[in-house]
Amino acid sequence: MTAEELVSLISERRDYNLHSHTEYCDGRVPMSVMTKAAIEAGYGVWGFTPHSPVPVESGCNMLESDVARYIDNLSALQDQHADKIRLLCGMEVDFLGRDFGPHIDYFHKLPLEYRIGSVHFVPNQEGRLLDCDGRFERFSKYLKAGYNGDLRYVVEKYFEQVLTMLELGGFEILGHFDKIIGNASQADPTLEDQKWYVALIDDVISKSKDAGVIVEINTKAFEKSGRFYPSEKWWEQLQNAKIPIAINTDCHDPELINVGRDEAFFRMHNAQSSK
């Protein structure tokens, strides 16, 4: 699908989710089970987006050898359930640097209908890539031993990755663009109010508009932490910039298939109505 077709889809309906995971990465159930759950939950469009293969060690990403299996499996499921739901073949592509990300030829030779560009790995001062997503306990250990305790370095480097990914392009949806704050704010709760951090958010929003991408509101963590990614405090700025917004659950488990989604739509609607 083109970015324009995706924008039309998210503008015309709410019964979609464009970010979900599979048994080929860190999803909790087979795609067939997730498809059944999506149908039962009333979805009309469901996008599968397994974490892409990466050239570094990762327990969350799919293997390159499983990519063809994933695509074939999705095609078979679509044939089976075409009268009930539209399944889209996507991928969440990790950006690791200028040599690897959604911009490289490999991801454009695959028969994908769209790509989500996301940053999970942040290089430390020696250039070693560390996965800064996941539990705070692991992040805290990385911060101390991997980044020499320099929290500002980690956050700035994360956003440098996001901005470079936007510059290089090759994807239609920007995934959870401030996800680093989930862990970083536990190390320093004042971060989101600091001028240098706000300036980084401003840069991402400006570059997202220039790049013509859809920005995702990721609702996965809402039930656990009451937080969306990006944070709700930036939504008005996104709306004022007229950036198209997709509300996705980043679903790994069918029990959380709708987590935070109705609340996000409600708050988004209220923010627009109050203008």
Side-chain angles (χ1 to χ4, degrees):
M1 301 181 75
T2 65
E4 290 76 15
E5 288 171 329
L6 285 170
V7 169
S8 293
L9 187 154
I10 61 177
S11 300
E12 294 168 1
R13 57 197 305 167
R14 288 190 176 186
D15 63 337
Y16 68 84
N17 180 58
L18 301 177
H19 190 165
S20 71
H21 293 279
T22 75
E23 67 268 36
Y24 299 107
C25 57
D26 60 348
R28 304 288 190 268
V29 299
M31 293 166 65
S32 58
V33 175
M34 191 71 82
T35 299
K36 182 180 178 182
I39 293 169
E40 291 175 350
Y43 283 97
V45 179
W46 187 266
F48 281 110
T49 53
H51 291 289
S52 68
V54 289
V56 295
E57 185 177 345
S58 171
C60 294
N61 292 71
M62 71 190 306
L63 300 174
E64 187 174 348
S65 58
D66 281 334
V67 171
R69 255 192 299 275
Y70 155 63
I71 293 169
D72 289 345
N73 191 356
L74 192 148
S75 179
L77 286 168
Q78 178 60 89
D79 289 345
Q80 182 180 351
H81 299 288
D83 60 329
K84 302 182 186 71
I85 195 169
R86 181 181 181 186
L87 300 177
L88 298 179
C89 183
M91 189 173 286
E92 183 177 17
V93 182
D94 271 291
F95 182 82
L96 304 183
R98 290 186 175 274
D99 293 332
F100 190 93
H103 60 288
I104 68 172
D105 287 346
Y106 171 76
F107 295 109
H108 292 268
K109 291 178 179 177
L110 297 175
L112 301 174
E113 292 177 89
Y114 65 99
R115 288 151 291 272
I116 298 176
S118 295
V119 173
H120 300 94
F121 296 86
V122 180
N124 69 5
Q125 290 90 334
E126 289 75 44
R128 181 186 172 204
L129 287 161
L130 300 174
D131 186 350
C132 288
D133 201 11
R135 295 183 179 182
F136 176 70
E137 291 76 14
R138 184 181 70 170
F139 175 81
S140 183
K141 290 178 181 177
Y142 282 167
L143 177 61
K144 181 179 180 180
Y147 297 103
N148 301 317
D150 192 340
L151 182 63
R152 180 163 175 171
Y153 169 87
V154 179
V155 174
E156 288 184 329
K157 185 60 69 171
Y158 172 90
F159 281 105
E160 180 183 312
Q161 295 281 83
V162 173
L163 290 166
T164 304
M165 182 174 69
L166 283 165
E167 172 198 330
L168 296 173
F171 60 98
E172 292 75 27
I173 301 174
L174 176 60
H176 48 56
F177 74 66
D178 65 350
K179 188 71 184 297
I180 190 68
I181 200 63
N183 279 325
S185 64
Q186 294 186 64
D188 180 356
T190 72
L191 268 181
E192 286 179 282
D193 297 319
Q194 295 184 26
K195 290 182 178 179
W196 64 267
Y197 183 87
V198 175
L200 289 170
I201 295 292
D202 290 345
D203 283 348
V204 171
I205 292 174
S206 175
K207 291 293 193 302
S208 296
K209 181 175 177 61
D210 291 344
V213 297
I214 296 166
V215 167
E216 166 188 87
I217 303 295
N218 189 301
T219 66
K220 176 186 172 184
F222 182 74
E223 186 174 276
K224 184 177 180 180
S225 67
R227 180 183 279 278
F228 299 106
Y229 298 102
S231 171
E232 191 176 354
K233 66 195 302 179
W234 315 121
W235 292 6
E236 183 176 356
Q237 194 172 343
L238 287 166
Q239 291 171 322
N240 289 342
K242 301 189 183 308
I243 293 172
I245 294 170
I247 295 179
N248 294 326
T249 63
D250 191 356
C251 189
H252 291 65
D253 187 326
E255 292 184 5
L256 299 174
I257 203 161
N258 287 317
V259 64
R261 208 162 174 280
D262 290 341
E263 187 66 24
F265 273 117
F266 175 76
R267 296 187 188 192
M268 185 76 68
H269 175 74
N270 280 355
Q272 290 172 333
S273 300
S274 65
K275 290 183 180 180

